[in-house]
């Protein structure tokens, strides 16, 4: 779970001011704060709380409604911080990106998180953490496996309803044994990260470009990371190792456009050639053959989703185990049983067949 990296300089956090946010969110100061908040909501659902925290920092009276919104966001951040604080010592389970980045923001500025991402050293430690967090059955637990047992990676998403579900997103904790999931095509799963949390956060931030377009909070993340980063050549070598040079170059170009206060010109210059090599590598890979069924899907390392059949606490299981019947598989985990599926739709007869498999397992005590 570690890579040797260059020494990262330590520095104070760069300022995040109202004027900076107006430029980032394409809002003239004369347009008023309501316009700024509107643009923040359009850009990303976590940005309004950040804007409100900056306004509070600058001594602006938030009023009753906006003040309550910021208090709810800080309460969410405190609950997420509690999840991280309760992780066992020793580094067996560590937070990814969000928690590290939040500490780099200026005092009082809230980098609101939509979820908490946790990386487990191995599957048994992942399930230990899931079991500890699943204190009741009010939340949902989603499971994804990638690869063939036992050489696979597991992703578990835990979801709880927010305290104010009409106006706030649900709480979400994601635990995985894979540091970076890639795109399951040209960029495969990578299980390690740099040892330095700043560089690990940068790699995770670049990885976002494989899943979605960059948005203003990503630019702010790069802005607070920039003073702490090593030389541009060291960064380029690092992200090339992780196959993410095109994504970091894209983030740099986006950030230069929306947040010119973040000087990444030299980084973009040295990233140009590694990005070209990576794009050439992806282009020259053999065309992937579509998996023929569930067994072929997991054998190829593609993700298989778990459809919950029942919640069940299993103290006899340290890791998940599959029970196959033809091309159908039930995944037994320490927190429940799931039907593994390779597509978005599941036939009713397949679901009923999986329930029958569970009954057979229960009767024979073989599962």
């Amino acid at each position: 779970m570690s890579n040797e990296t260059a020494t990262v300089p330590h520095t104070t956090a760069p300022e995040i001011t109202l004027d900076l946010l107006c430029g980032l969110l394409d809002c003239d100061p004369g347009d008023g704060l309501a316009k700024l908040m509107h643009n923040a909501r359009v850009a990303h659902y976590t940005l309004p709380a950040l804007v409100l925290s900056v306004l509070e920092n600058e001594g602006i009276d938030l009023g009753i409604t906006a003040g309550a919104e910021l208090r709810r966001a800080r309460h969410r951040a405190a609950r997420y911080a509690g999840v991280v604080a309760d992780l066992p010592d020793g580094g067996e389970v560590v937070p990814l990106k969000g928690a590290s980045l939040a500490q780099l923001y200026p005092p009082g500025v809230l980098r609101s998180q939509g979820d908490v991402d946790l990386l487990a050293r191995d599957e048994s430690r992942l399930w230990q953490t899931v079991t500890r967090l699943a204190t009741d059955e009010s939340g949902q637990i989603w499971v994804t496996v990638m690869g063939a047992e036992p050489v696979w990676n597991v992703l578990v998403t835990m979801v709880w309803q927010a305290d104010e579900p009409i106006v706030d997103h649900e709480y979400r904790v994601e635990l995985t044994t894979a540091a970076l999931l890639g795109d399951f095509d040209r960029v495969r799963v990578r299980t390690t990260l740099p040892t330095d949390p700043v560089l690990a956060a940068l790699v995770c931030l670049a990885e976002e470009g494989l899943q979605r377009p960059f948005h203003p909070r990503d630019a702010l993340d790069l802005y607070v990371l920039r003073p702490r980063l090593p030389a541009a050549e060291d960064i380029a070598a690092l992200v090339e190792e992780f196959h993410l040079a095109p994504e970091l170059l894209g983030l740099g170009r986006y950030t230069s456009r929306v947040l010119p206060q973040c000087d990444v010109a030299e980084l973009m210059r040295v990233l140009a050639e590694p990005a070209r090599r990576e794009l050439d590598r992806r282009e020259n890979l053999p065309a992937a053959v579509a998996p023929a069924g569930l067994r072929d899907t997991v054998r190829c390392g593609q993700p298989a989703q778990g459809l919950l059949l029942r919640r069940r606490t299993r103290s006899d299981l340290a890791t998940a185990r599959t029970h196959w019947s033809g091309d159908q598989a039930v995944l037994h985990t320490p927190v429940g049983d799931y039907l593994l599926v390779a597509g978005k739709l599941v036939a009713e007869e397949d679901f009923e067949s999986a329930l029958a498999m569970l009954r057979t397992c229960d009767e024979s005590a073989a599962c």
Side-chain angles (χ1 to χ4, degrees):
M1 195 183 293
S2 66
N3 285 43
E4 293 298 326
T5 56
T7 301
V8 176
H10 294 280
T11 185
T12 57
E15 284 191 325
I16 298 179
T17 64
L18 176 58
D19 286 342
L20 181 142
L21 291 180
C22 284
L24 174 68
L25 296 171
D26 193 26
C27 181
D28 189 284
D31 292 339
L33 297 180
K35 173 65 174 177
L36 180 65
M37 286 295 294
H38 168 78
N39 289 3
R41 294 189 197 283
V42 170
H44 195 257
Y45 71 93
T46 61
L47 278 171
L50 186 148
V51 171
L52 290 173
S53 70
V54 171
L55 297 181
E56 184 181 64
N57 264 10
E58 299 201 1
I60 296 173
D61 182 12
L62 299 184
I64 296 174
T65 303
E69 182 174 354
L70 181 57
R71 284 193 297 275
R72 292 199 314 273
R74 292 199 186 281
H75 176 67
R76 171 186 290 265
R79 286 191 62 176
Y80 281 160
V83 170
V84 173
D86 287 341
L87 295 176
D89 296 331
E92 282 83 7
V93 182
V94 296
L96 294 174
K97 198 184 74 166
S100 298
L101 283 167
Q103 297 174 10
L104 304 181
Y105 273 65
V109 177
L110 177 62
R111 184 193 184 276
S112 184
Q113 291 176 240
D115 58 14
V116 173
D117 296 304
L118 304 175
L119 174 65
R121 184 177 296 274
D122 57 42
E123 190 189 343
S124 63
R125 289 175 174 85
L126 178 146
W127 289 115
Q128 289 169 12
T129 306
V130 170
T131 301
R132 189 163 58 249
L133 291 173
T135 55
D136 57 53
E137 295 196 3
S138 63
Q140 302 177 64
I141 303 178
W142 308 333
V143 179
T144 302
V145 298
M146 296 152 282
E149 187 182 18
V151 186
W152 62 8
N153 283 288
V154 180
L155 170 66
V156 175
T157 302
M158 307 184 71
V159 181
W160 297 270
Q161 183 172 276
D163 302 323
E164 298 276 357
I166 295 177
V167 291
D168 290 331
H169 289 262
E170 72 274 3
Y171 290 98
R172 184 183 296 244
V173 177
E174 291 197 343
L175 305 97
T176 182
T177 57
L180 303 163
L181 297 180
D183 62 2
F184 301 111
D185 184 16
R186 303 300 185 183
V187 182
R188 294 303 182 99
V189 168
R190 285 131 300 150
T191 58
T192 63
L193 281 176
T195 54
D196 187 280
V198 170
L199 293 177
L202 179 68
V203 168
C204 290
L205 181 59
E207 174 86 355
E208 297 285 1
L210 289 172
Q211 277 83 46
R212 59 166 175 78
F214 290 115
H215 57 68
R217 194 185 66 174
D218 300 318
L220 281 174
D221 286 345
L222 185 57
Y223 176 66
V224 300
L225 282 170
R226 182 67 191 92
R228 297 170 167 84
L229 295 176
E233 291 79 4
D234 294 331
I235 298 172
L238 175 70
V239 295
E240 185 169 21
E241 176 186 349
F242 284 92
H243 302 292
L244 290 171
E247 284 66 40
L248 185 55
L249 180 59
L251 174 60
R253 288 171 173 165
Y254 171 76
T255 302
S256 294
R257 187 172 72 253
V258 301
L259 194 61
Q261 294 91 332
C262 183
D263 181 10
V264 289
E266 177 63 12
L267 179 58
M268 288 191 294
R269 185 187 69 79
V270 300
L271 279 172
E273 183 59 23
R276 183 197 62 77
R277 287 195 296 266
E278 172 60 19
L279 291 175
D280 285 346
R281 183 196 70 82
R282 297 178 193 179
E283 182 68 26
N284 292 320
L285 286 174
V289 178
L294 181 63
R295 283 186 184 272
D296 200 24
T297 295
V298 297
R299 182 186 59 80
C300 294
Q302 297 296 308
Q305 312 294 331
L307 175 64
L308 180 65
L309 297 170
R310 66 180 177 187
R311 288 283 293 270
R312 181 189 182 192
T313 302
R314 293 282 298 267
S315 59
D316 59 317
L317 288 180
T319 60
R321 186 174 67 216
T322 51
H323 180 77
W324 287 91
S325 176
D327 197 48
Q328 189 175 60
V330 170
L331 184 74
H332 303 288
T333 82
V335 295
D337 300 307
Y338 296 80
L339 171 63
L340 287 182
V341 296
K344 295 182 179 180
L345 299 177
V346 179
E348 183 176 352
E349 56 267 26
D350 290 339
F351 185 79
E352 293 298 331
S353 175
L355 292 176
M357 286 172 63
L358 279 185
R359 289 192 292 270
T360 300
C361 285
D362 291 342
E363 292 168 359
S364 65
C367 302

